[in-house]
Every structure is written in structure tokens, then in C-alpha cells.
Amino acid sequence: MMVDFSVLTHNAGAIAGGFAVTLETWLAGTCLGMAAGLAMALLLLGGGRWTNRAIRLYIEVIRGTPFLVQLFFLYYGGPSIGLDLEPVTAGILGLGLYGSAYFAEVFRAGFGSIPKGHLEAGTCLGLTRWQMVRRIMLPQMLVIIVPSLCNTIIVLSKETAVLSVITVPELTGILTGIGSLSFAFLEVLVALCAGYLMLVELTAALGRWAEGKVGRYMIR
Amino acid sequence: MVSRPASTPDPSGQPRPAMIQLRNLVKRFGANEVLKGIDLDILKSEVVCVIGPSGSGKSTLLRCMAFLEAYDEGDVFVEGLLLGYAQDREGRRVRAGDPELNRVRRNVGMVFQQFNLWPHMTALGNVTEALRRVRRMPRPRADELGLAVLEKVGMAHKARSYPAQLSGGEQQRAAIARALAMEPHIMLFDEPTSSLDPELVGEVLQVMKQLARDGMTMVVVSHEMGFAAHVADRVVFIDQGRIVAQGPPEEIFQGQQQAPRLQQFLKDYLERNAFWTRTGEDPG
């Protein structure tokens, strides 16, 4: 039995394309998820009873069901309610919806960590609610939530692999495809792991840098 | 004794205007009635110290004056304007919107027991934040004004320090500067020295004394009887949500008021601080 990595160099173009799609779906899904998650956490902060209930329900449903099933709903179930999406679009949207539930919880915990007095001080000085969110809460809570945000982003990077089941031509889909044609499974799986590890390590390094950056004011 | 021109009757003989008026103020937390009908006028340039046992409602009283607590009955007027409520078309009382509330509250500055400085901003950043966001002042002007106010509390040299780099006393002085920067007409102090190490209390009280000398209208909830005795124009003793006794500090502290609860409160206080009487030193 020989291990021969030439199968990778022969398919370098296709693999690079897959990597690009992985990056694209991951980054777009993360941005969408973060924006939606932040919006939900803000609504939870200032919303009425029914808004709160609706958001809680959404978060519980998303967190309580497998991503794969959610993706099937979106891609295969979508057309029956007039939602006919391209695989990549469905993948990004699915990843965003999935991530938003987790991001919402991270942001909610962050908002909850701000001492009430810090907001009372702002209230007395006439700051608006939005100013307090933007100027007092968000910058202060970043110190606490950056590790959790990073964690969620890393999880999402690996969830992009699931998108291959709805025919998104991302890294996992491409490489396992090459594997089954060439029977060089060991080689492609090693390459696959290396690809994700690279993304994760890069994200983690960025996260550590960001932690230092947002925590400058803290004396440890 | 700090003598202030404003503490003597106005030379023109005009009565001093009331800056804050409380009328039958009632505040409940659930079934627990914390304030049971408080009537109190705070006059211009007056320094009023509110004392009382813990749980008496004194902090709640102060917080109602800034509408940090929504009161349940009665009225709070700030410079003649009703605070926190408005009337709808049928004349019923409804909560005022944020802009109206802020318009009335604008002239009230608040200082907290826990300082509540924003830890991610420098001392100067804390002081200029509202100038820039609320007053829409351009940064150079806000910085200039902020430095001037920090100078006033002796903190100009620490303008670029973050709260975590400051001592408790310095933090509280920066917090006072933050409130002063908005040029309030009334300053409320909620136990401003209670979370300070004893040796840091003096520097904060010094700043407050200077404010009083400058004629600021002040309401101070405090356990600092020395401050109340030396700086206050009037001491208000509250217990179980009611004003039990009030008057000039000499009257309150020299036992001329016959309220038994006040006598007990002062006796307990003196017992806790009994080392003075043994050495015969003056507490001030």
C-alpha cells in the first residue's frame, strides 16, 4: 500500500476552488449569523413579552435540531413554500440562521454582564439607549464575549462541511469526490483535515489578537 | 463650619427658589412600601444630608429624584417641572417619553456609591462622553472642558488613566467630574464614600465641600456624620420610609430633636465610633 499525495497536486485547481467556496460560505454565513444574533439579543434587551417569546422559541428550535436537518428543510422543503434557492445561497442562509441562535446567546450573555450602574450613569447624563449600547455595552462586553464569539465562528467553519450534502462544491464535497474517484481516501482526508485545521488556527490566532486588543484597559 | 453666602438668607430678602420638590412621594417594590409619602423641598444652593438606618429608603428617595426609580404616587418636581410623568389627553398620568424625561433630568447630576465609571474609557473619556454624544460638542472642545473639570477635582494629571489604574478616591472624583461636566444645577450623591478605604474618604469629601462652597445645590445620602455636621445646611433623618426629623445639623446632632428613633440611631452610631470620646479628639 502506497501513500501518494500526487493525487492532490493533480487536482490542485479543483481543491483550491473548493477551498474558496468553503471560505465564502463560512464568512458570509458568519456575518449573517452575527448580525442576526446581535439583532435578536438587542430585541431581547428592550423588547416586549411576545418578541421575547418568539426569539426564545427560535433559539430553542435552532439549537435543538441538527444542522443537517435544518439544511434539508431549507433546501428541499423551501421550494414547496416558494423558496427556491441555489445550493450556495441556501448554504449561506442555512449557516447564518444556524449560527444566529448561538451568536444571540453569546451577545445576550454579554449584555447581561454589564453592571446596571454603568447604564444608570449613562441614563443620568442623558445618553440614549442606542448610545449606551454602542458606546458603553458593546465595547465593554467584547472582552468577555470575544472568546465565545471565536468559538462559535470556529464551529461554523467546520459546519460548512455539511453543505456538501446539498451539493455545495466546498472543500469536503470536492475532496471526498476526488477520493472516491481515485480511491486515495487517506490522502484526501489528510488534506481535508489540514485545510480545516488551517482555518481554525487562523481564526484562533485572530481571536487571541482581538482579545488583547479589546482588553487593553484591563489591568491584570 | 463652612460658611457659604448662599446658606445665609438672600441679601435681597427674596426666598430662595426650590430646585427639587417632593410631594407625598410613594415608592413600592412589589408589596413593600419603601417610601410612605415624603414631602421635601430642596432650595437653591442648599446642602441637604439624608441620614437613616440601612433599609430606611434614603437611597431610593435619592434615586427617585433622578427617576432611576419610577415612583408610584405623588410628584417630583425638578425646577418646577414634573419628573418622569406627563398627562395624556384625558388628563391621566402616563410615563414621559425618554426625550421629555431627559429634558427635565438634564440639570440633575448623580454620583454613585460604586462610582460606575465606564472601565473601557479613560478618566477624560468618561468625562467627555456625554459632552460629545449628548451635547454634540466637537472633541477638542469637549477635551478642553473635560480637562478643566478634572482640574477642579484635582484629577487633571490622571486624565489619561483608565479607572482600573485609579484608586477608589480618584475614581469617585472622576465620577464627580463626569457629572459636573454637564453643568447640572443639582447634584445628588448616593453614599459617595461608603465603598472607599477610610484614608481615601477625605479627598472625596474635600471636593464635595468645595462644591458646596461654590453654591451647588446638593442632596447627599451618607453615613459621614462629620460631613453632615460640618457642611450640611439641613439634615433629614428618615426611617421606615418616612421623614422622622429634620433641621439644621446642630439641632439634629445635639439632641434637640426628641424623635426616639433618631436618638437611638445617633447613639448606635456613636457607640460604633466610640474611640473618639475616649481620646477626646474632635471627630471633624
Side-chain angles (χ1 to χ4, degrees):
Chain A
M1 187 72 189
M2 288 290 292
V3 179
D4 180 6
F5 281 98
S6 67
V7 66
L8 300 176
T9 45
H10 288 150
N11 294 288
I15 294 171
F19 194 69
V21 173
T22 291
L23 265 181
E24 178 199 347
T25 49
W26 172 45
L27 292 179
T30 298
C31 290
L32 184 66
M34 255 202 225
L38 179 58
M40 283 192 280
L42 283 171
L43 284 171
L44 283 175
L45 201 63
R49 206 158 115 227
W50 288 103
T51 334
N52 280 11
R53 282 187 184 179
I55 291 172
R56 290 304 329 167
L57 181 69
Y58 172 83
I59 291 174
E60 291 316 315
V61 168
I62 294 284
R63 289 199 306 180
T65 54
F67 179 47
L68 183 63
V69 177
Q70 294 165 18
L71 213 52
F72 281 158
F73 257 101
L74 198 62
Y75 188 65
Y76 297 117
S80 40
I81 55 162
L83 195 68
D84 213 343
L85 298 170
E86 293 295 311
V88 170
T89 318
I92 290 171
L93 187 61
L95 209 56
L97 293 177
Y98 174 72
S100 69
Y102 293 89
F103 283 124
E105 285 292 271
V106 172
F107 283 118
R108 186 179 65 85
F111 285 130
S113 75
I114 306 295
K116 211 174 120 223
H118 290 192
L119 304 179
E120 289 181 346
T123 303
C124 286
L125 292 165
L127 296 178
T128 64
R129 284 174 204 211
W130 176 239
Q131 283 171 333
M132 287 203 274
V133 167
R134 212 170 52 83
R135 298 285 308 167
I136 297 169
M137 303 182 93
L138 280 174
Q140 206 183 135
M141 72 198 227
L142 278 181
V143 182
I144 297 158
I145 66 169
V146 160
S148 313
L149 284 180
C150 237
N151 209 27
T152 310
I153 294 170
I154 285 171
V155 168
L156 288 185
S157 79
K158 289 173 292 171
E159 293 290 358
T160 55
V162 177
L163 304 188
S164 61
V165 301
I166 58 163
T167 73
V168 173
E170 49 65 67
L171 198 59
T172 301
I174 298 286
L175 277 174
T176 51
I178 294 168
S180 42
L181 286 178
S182 62
F183 294 101
F185 281 112
L186 181 69
E187 292 84 346
V188 299
L189 290 176
V190 167
L192 198 49
C193 290
Y196 287 113
L197 258 173
M198 206 168 75
L199 285 186
V200 169
E201 285 313 309
L202 201 68
T203 314
L206 270 174
R208 282 190 295 272
W209 173 81
E211 268 181 61
K213 194 95 179 143
V214 297
R216 271 169 314 181
Y217 66 86
M218 297 184 81
I219 315 295
R220 289 181 202 274
Chain B
M1 247 335 179
V2 180
S3 67
R4 299 183 302 113
S7 66
T8 54
D10 202 292
S12 62
Q14 294 293 313
R16 283 191 280 171
M19 300 297 275
I20 293 185
Q21 293 160 291
L22 308 180
R23 292 285 172 269
N24 188 32
L25 184 70
V26 174
K27 171 66 190 174
R28 299 182 195 94
F29 291 113
N32 181 17
E33 199 167 72
V34 182
L35 299 177
K36 298 170 178 160
I38 301 272
D39 289 285
L40 185 65
D41 281 11
I42 312 290
L43 304 181
K44 189 170 168 53
S45 292
E46 196 179 20
V47 177
V48 175
C49 274
V50 181
I51 61 171
S54 74
S56 58
K58 53 192 192 301
S59 273
T60 306
L61 176 70
L62 199 73
R63 290 167 60 80
C64 283
M65 295 186 199
F67 210 70
L68 289 176
E69 304 290 352
Y71 50 94
D72 295 299
E73 283 171 38
D75 305 301
V76 176
F77 295 102
V78 175
E79 297 183 271
L81 298 172
L82 184 65
L83 177 69
Y85 293 101
Q87 285 193 341
D88 68 4
R89 279 193 211 112
E90 280 98 63
R92 282 177 308 211
R93 173 175 279 200
V94 291
R95 281 284 281 271
D98 282 351
E100 291 164 81
L101 175 57
N102 281 334
R103 210 166 39 242
V104 180
R105 181 162 51 192
R106 191 170 49 193
N107 293 326
V108 179
M110 180 97 181
V111 174
F112 301 87
Q113 180 179 355
Q114 302 295 339
F115 328 134
N116 290 334
L117 288 177
W118 302 308
H120 58 297
M121 297 181 191
T122 61
L124 185 61
N126 268 277
V127 174
T128 54
E129 181 65 14
L131 292 176
R132 294 176 57 200
R133 311 289 152 186
V134 181
R135 290 267 184 92
R136 307 252 162 234
M137 222 177 252
R139 184 167 190 163
R141 231 175 90 49
D143 281 358
E144 197 183 317
L145 201 90
L147 276 171
V149 182
L150 281 170
E151 178 72 59
K152 208 169 155 183
V153 299
M155 284 288 295
H157 63 297
K158 294 285 176 89
R160 306 282 169 193
S161 300
Y162 286 101
Q165 296 165 313
L166 301 174
S167 74
E170 290 170 331
Q171 288 189 55
Q172 191 60 299
R173 284 187 285 147
I176 293 173
R178 176 174 66 179
L180 286 178
M182 294 298 276
E183 298 170 323
H185 299 168
I186 304 142
M187 285 283 282
L188 307 178
F189 295 83
D190 189 4
E191 305 204 19
T193 58
S194 295
S195 52
L196 294 176
D197 289 339
E199 77 269 23
L200 301 176
V201 168
E203 61 189 73
V204 171
L205 292 183
Q206 209 53 49
V207 166
M208 292 168 63
K209 276 184 194 168
Q210 184 57 47
L211 265 182
R213 262 185 238 122
D214 294 344
M216 176 64 79
T217 307
M218 294 164 62
V219 185
V220 184
V221 168
S222 181
H223 295 293
E224 290 295 326
M225 298 301 159
F227 179 83
H230 288 80
V231 183
D233 298 302
R234 183 156 48 118
V235 175
V236 174
F237 174 71
I238 82 172
D239 186 36
Q240 293 177 17
R242 287 199 175 84
I243 294 179
V244 175
Q246 60 174 311
E250 326 53 284
E251 235 177 67
I252 295 289
F253 293 122
Q254 290 167 8
Q256 292 169 24
Q257 295 241 359
Q258 291 309 308
R261 275 183 298 188
L262 171 62
Q263 297 311 328
Q264 187 59 45
F265 176 75
L266 292 175
K267 191 166 154 268
D268 289 348
Y269 181 82
L270 282 177
E271 269 166 22
R272 258 180 291 130
N273 297 278
F275 62 93
W276 287 336
T277 47
R278 260 179 234 143
T279 58
E281 270 176 40
D282 185 79

